[in-house]
Amino acid sequence: MERPVATRARRLLWRPDVSATAVYPGSFDPITNGHVDIIRRSLQVFERVIVGVAFNPNKDSSWFTPEERVAMIRETFRADGQRVIADAFSGLLVDYAVAKGANVIVRGLRAVADFEYEFQMTMMNRHLRPQVETIFMMTGESHFYTSSRLVKEVVSLGGNVAGLLPDNVLPRLIARAKQIGAEV
Ligand code: PNS
C-alpha cells in the first residue's frame, strides 16, 4: 500500500545522526511560564524534550531541591506524557546531552541582555563537544521580563506574581517564601 506523503518524506529525510530529542537545560528554580513557553515551542520541532534540571551538589543556593524542581515540571507537563521528560543532572551539560542521546540543546532568549552569557556558554559547549548543537528560541513577548530570580525576589517582598508561573507552582513558591522568612 502507498504510504502517506508525509511519512514518505520523513523517511527520506531521516538520518540516524539527527536527534529527535532535545535537551532544554536550566536551573528551573522554579519553572516559570517563560520556560513553559520555550518547552511548548520546542515540542513543535522535536519529538521529545528532556528538561534537564542542573544542580551542583557542592554549592546550591536554590529555593527548591532538584527533586522538587523536577516534580513541579512533571506536574506541569503531565498531559504531554513521554514527550516531556523532566530529570535532574549534575556535571557537564554536554556530557548529559550525549548520555541521553540528544545532539541538540535548546535555550530561550528574552532580550539582547541574554546574548552575551548564552554566546559564551554555547562556545564553551561547542569546544567540549562539537557534535552537540545549541539552538535558540525567542520567548513569547509576554514572558520577556520573567525570570526565576526576579519572581523569587518579588514574591519574597510580598509582590504578586500570579500569571508568571504555572498554577501548580505558585502556591509552592509562596509557601517556600514564607518558610525562608520572606515577608509574604
Ligand atoms: O537558565 P540557567 O539557570 O541560567 O541555566 C544555566 C545552565 C544550567 C544551562 C548552565 O549553568 C549549565 O549548563 N550547567 C551545567 C554545568 C556545565 O555544563 N557548565 C558549563 C557550561 S558552558
Side-chain angles (χ1 to χ4, degrees):
M1 198 179 75
E2 186 70 352
R3 283 203 195 94
V5 174
T7 312
R8 263 189 290 138
R10 215 175 296 135
R11 276 181 185 275
L12 284 173
L13 289 170
W14 187 78
R15 283 176 37 203
D17 56 329
V18 174
S19 174
T21 302
V23 170
Y24 177 47
S27 308
F28 303 105
D29 185 45
I31 186 167
T32 68
N33 283 340
H35 297 128
V36 172
D37 177 81
I38 296 295
I39 295 166
R40 291 255 163 260
R41 288 173 197 281
S42 304
L43 287 173
Q44 295 184 51
V45 180
F46 297 98
E47 301 261 346
R48 202 162 68 120
V49 177
I50 300 176
V51 184
V53 174
F55 71 97
N56 180 344
N58 303 317
K59 177 182 133 251
D60 211 342
S61 53
S62 308
W63 278 28
F64 296 94
T65 65
E67 293 76 20
E68 288 171 324
R69 289 180 258 162
V70 165
M72 287 186 273
I73 297 166
R74 285 190 184 150
E75 276 170 29
T76 306
F77 289 94
R78 182 159 288 149
D80 295 276
Q82 290 302 299
R83 290 199 69 204
V84 179
I85 310 278
D87 184 29
F89 75 97
S90 58
L92 285 177
L93 165 62
V94 282
D95 291 347
Y96 174 74
V98 169
K100 292 286 167 185
N103 58 10
V104 178
I105 292 169
V106 171
R107 291 286 290 169
L109 279 180
R110 287 163 302 193
V112 181
D114 285 342
F115 182 80
E116 183 108 13
Y117 169 61
E118 296 297 336
F119 181 73
Q120 240 181 350
M121 276 204 302
T122 300
M123 293 324 241
M124 181 57 79
N125 285 333
R126 188 176 284 173
H127 166 80
L128 294 168
R129 294 269 194 179
Q131 75 273 32
V132 177
E133 202 56 68
T134 303
I135 67 163
F136 294 93
M137 298 214 172
M138 293 301 296
T139 310
E141 60 263 33
S142 49
H143 305 295
F144 275 170
Y145 57 91
T146 307
S147 75
S148 302
R149 185 186 59 77
L150 265 187
V151 159
K152 284 184 288 191
E153 185 176 325
V154 170
V155 109
S156 57
L157 296 170
N160 181 3
V161 292
L164 304 182
L165 303 153
D167 290 346
N168 56 308
V169 175
L170 182 63
R172 285 169 191 239
L173 183 68
I174 293 172
R176 185 55 47 93
K178 280 187 184 141
Q179 258 178 16
I180 58 181
E183 38 176 282
V184 183

